[in-house]
């Protein structure tokens, strides 16, 4: 009887664990969908308020800086106050973000609407849930499935934003995510177990220091292998990231695409992301070590650079996009998995926040550096830079002895 009761308890616990992971995937999908909805209508809203291209660039840079600063702080908050509290904070911030955007009647108010983006980190919050609820051998596969959320967000968000803004107007389209985000606050409140409130903060040193402590954040970079892997994460995809930031301009000037055709290309990119990161990367993590996949992603990035330097038509880009998405997906998933294993469990939230700051950093410096590269040297310069950087990183990975916890499912 005692063994039967124990078996039922284990099965019940496993069911709750899977439910919480599914809720984390749902929250990540909602955030990404809403973000891509606002990305499509933001230029029109800014233009209607009299904001020129330079001002719009400053607006985008402001958003990137706030996300860059807020990532590690959000991670520290999750470590100290629990994952559930962090997800509620993210959802509430998202609701405030879209509400302020929908009532923006002037340029200063539009800039003010960016402030809640500091704590709008549903994706790192979902990663924290997955990290807390999976074993190290399962982590890469579970984190890889977040690529499905990203792909769904690109496809549904881009399409839904255009339809809603056309039928009901830009401001109504921004009100809808605000109310939806407010409702989504109840997801972590009701579906994420209270066990996660203190699960990660009960062990280790995450409780010491303030949430805003720079010393505690930088302390994680001193753990063996963390700095080396983070450098690879930050620089391997940087040139390709600069290209993607400039893609709206490149698609018009270099490829000669119309707005509708650019939308189709984004949908194609989203489908690739879903298939590769949701299905392929997970299978590879079961058969290859993380060291092997890290080197493979950097090697493929070098090949992508060669392809980008030679492409001349949009069809060439469609071909190059396949290994590009694979390299981005594999590198992101594997480095997140490696870095969260390299630090104590009490610091995984902060580590995920630091990882989440890589994309905002690219968005912040991207328009300036990417604009100079494109204007002075053309599209091929992104490819040559990608090739040179990743050849250097690949040689570095072959020669260095980065301590990794090698695990296969």
């Amino acid at each position: 009887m005692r063994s039967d009761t124990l078996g039922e308890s284990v099965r019940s616990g496993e069911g709750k664990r899977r439910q919480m992971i599914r809720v984390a995937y749902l929250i990540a999908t909602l955030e990404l969908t809403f973000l891509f909805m606002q990305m499509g209508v933001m230029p029109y809203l800014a233009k209607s308020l009299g904001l020129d291209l330079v001002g719009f660039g400053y607006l985008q840079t402001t958003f990137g800086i706030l996300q860059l600063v807020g990532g590690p702080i959000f991670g520290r908050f999750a470590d100290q106050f629990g994952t559930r509290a962090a997800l509620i904070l993210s959802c509430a911030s998202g609701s405030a973000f879209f509400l302020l955007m929908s009532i923006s009647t002037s340029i200063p108010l539009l800039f003010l609407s960016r402030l809640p983006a500091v704590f709008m980190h549903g994706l790192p919050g979902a990663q924290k849930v997955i990290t807390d609820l999976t074993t190290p051998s399962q982590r890469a596969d579970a984190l890889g499935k977040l690529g499905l959320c990203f792909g769904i967000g690109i496809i549904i968000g881009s399409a839904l934003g255009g339809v809603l803004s056309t039928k009901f107007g830009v401001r109504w389209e921004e009100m809808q995510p605000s109310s939806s985000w407010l409702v989504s606050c109840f997801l972590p409140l009701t579906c994420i177990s209270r066990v996660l409130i203190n699960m990660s903060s009960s062990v280790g040193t995450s409780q010491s220091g303030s949430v805003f402590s720079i010393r505690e954040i930088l302390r994680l970079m001193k753990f063996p292998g963390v700095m080396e892997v983070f450098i690879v994460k930050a620089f391997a995809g940087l040139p390709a990231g600069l290209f993607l930031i400039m893609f709206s301009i490149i698609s018009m000037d270099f490829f000669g695409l119309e707005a509708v055709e650019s939308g189709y290309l984004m949908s194609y990119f989203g489908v690739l992301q879903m298939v590769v990161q949701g299905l392929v990367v997970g299978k590879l993590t079961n058969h290859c070590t993380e060291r092997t996949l890290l080197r493979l992603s950097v090697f493929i990035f070098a090949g992508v650079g060669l392809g980008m330097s030679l492409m001349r038509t949009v069809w060439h880009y469609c071909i190059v996009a396949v290994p590009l998405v694979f390299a981005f997906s594999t590198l992101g998933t594997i480095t997140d998995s490696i870095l969260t294993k390299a630090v104590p469990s009490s610091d995984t939230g902060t580590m995920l926040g630091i990882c989440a700051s890589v994309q905002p950093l690219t968005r912040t410096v991207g328009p300036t550096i990417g604009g100079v590269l494109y204007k002075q040297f053309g599209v091929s310069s992104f490819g040559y830079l990608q090739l040179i950087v990743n050849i250097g990183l690949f040689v570095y990975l072959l020669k260095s002895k980065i301590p990794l916890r090698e695990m296969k499912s």
Side-chain angles (χ1 to χ4, degrees):
M1 186 181 297
R2 186 179 301 171
S3 62
D4 290 343
T5 305
L6 182 61
E8 290 177 4
S9 177
V10 170
R11 285 192 294 272
S12 175
E14 181 68 16
K16 290 180 180 178
R17 184 184 70 86
R18 290 179 179 175
Q19 180 190 14
M20 286 188 282
I21 291 176
R22 291 193 192 104
V23 170
Y25 287 141
L26 177 60
I27 292 172
T29 303
L30 288 172
E31 182 192 63
L32 291 165
T33 300
F34 297 151
L35 280 176
F36 280 103
M37 283 175 66
Q38 69 90 26
M39 284 173 64
V41 301
M42 178 53 64
Y44 302 98
L45 179 58
K47 186 177 180 180
S48 68
L49 295 176
L51 197 64
D52 59 12
L53 288 176
V54 177
F56 183 70
Y58 289 147
L59 185 69
Q60 296 295 82
T61 301
T62 302
F63 181 78
I65 292 173
L66 289 170
Q67 288 262 290
L68 174 64
V69 172
I73 296 174
F74 179 84
R76 285 278 296 162
F77 182 89
D79 284 334
Q80 290 202 354
F81 299 100
T83 309
R84 186 169 75 164
L87 284 172
I88 293 172
L89 175 64
S90 175
C91 293
S93 299
S95 180
F97 176 85
F98 287 104
L99 178 62
L100 287 172
M101 193 186 306
S102 66
I103 62 174
S104 295
T105 55
S106 63
I107 293 175
L109 192 57
L110 187 62
F111 274 87
L112 184 65
S113 70
R114 308 284 95 180
L115 284 178
V118 173
F119 297 113
M120 232 171 72
H121 294 279
L123 186 59
Q127 290 175 320
K128 181 71 166 66
V129 173
I130 293 168
T131 302
D132 286 345
L133 295 177
T134 55
T135 62
S137 61
Q138 299 170 331
R139 189 169 300 169
D141 184 20
L143 289 173
K145 287 184 173 64
L146 282 169
L148 288 169
C149 306
F150 194 89
I152 292 170
I154 290 178
I155 296 170
I156 297 180
S158 301
L160 199 58
V163 171
L164 291 177
S165 61
T166 301
K167 285 194 173 184
F168 304 102
V170 173
R171 298 191 182 280
W172 191 93
E173 191 268 338
E174 297 297 349
M175 278 293 293
Q176 186 62 30
S178 176
S179 57
S180 300
W181 259 130
L182 196 60
V183 172
S184 67
C185 289
F186 292 96
L187 283 174
L189 191 62
T190 57
C191 301
I192 301 297
S193 172
R194 293 184 62 86
V195 175
L196 289 182
I197 294 178
N198 295 312
M199 177 183 286
S200 56
S201 59
S202 60
V203 181
T205 58
S206 67
Q207 297 281 354
S208 62
S210 167
V211 171
F212 303 97
S213 174
I214 303 298
R215 183 192 300 176
E216 285 298 311
I217 293 171
L218 295 179
R219 174 181 60 84
L220 301 185
M221 306 307 288
K222 298 178 182 178
F223 282 92
V226 170
M227 180 62 77
E228 294 88 340
V229 174
F230 186 78
I231 288 173
V232 174
K233 180 182 182 67
F235 288 99
L238 180 61
L242 299 177
F243 171 82
L244 292 175
I245 287 173
M246 298 298 298
F247 186 74
S248 58
I249 296 175
I250 292 172
S251 63
M252 291 187 295
D253 293 347
F254 187 75
F255 293 132
L257 299 181
E258 299 292 336
V260 176
E261 295 170 326
S262 296
Y264 291 150
L265 203 57
M266 286 298 295
S267 297
Y268 167 70
F269 204 82
V271 171
L272 279 180
Q273 181 84 18
M274 289 174 61
V275 173
V276 172
Q277 192 166 344
L279 302 176
V280 177
V281 175
K283 298 291 183 183
L284 286 176
T285 57
N286 294 331
H287 298 90
C288 303
T289 62
E290 291 176 340
R291 185 188 300 272
T292 301
L293 291 176
L294 182 61
R295 291 173 176 171
L296 177 64
S297 61
V298 172
F299 180 76
I300 291 177
F301 259 136
V304 167
L306 180 62
M308 289 173 63
S309 65
L310 298 174
M311 70 180 179
R312 296 292 179 269
T313 68
V314 68
W315 297 109
H316 293 162
Y317 175 70
C318 289
I319 296 172
V320 171
V322 177
L324 175 64
V325 170
F326 175 82
F328 262 124
S329 302
T330 306
L331 182 76
T333 302
I334 295 303
T335 51
D336 285 350
S337 177
I338 292 172
L339 291 171
T340 52
K341 294 174 189 175
V343 298
S345 60
S346 58
D347 293 309
T348 54
T350 307
M351 192 71 253
L352 287 169
I354 295 173
C355 292
S357 65
V358 172
Q359 271 194 340
L361 177 62
T362 306
R363 286 200 301 267
T364 302
V365 303
T368 303
I369 300 176
V372 171
L373 284 174
Y374 180 56
K375 186 176 180 180
Q376 299 294 331
F377 307 103
V379 173
S380 60
S381 62
F382 296 100
Y384 289 125
L385 184 60
Q386 179 79 18
L387 178 62
I388 293 169
V389 168
N390 282 277
I391 287 177
L393 289 175
F394 186 71
V395 173
Y396 171 71
L397 286 174
L398 288 178
K399 291 187 175 182
S400 65
K401 298 185 181 297
I402 301 174
L404 300 179
R405 298 182 185 179
E406 298 286 5
M407 291 191 180
K408 294 186 289 186
S409 296

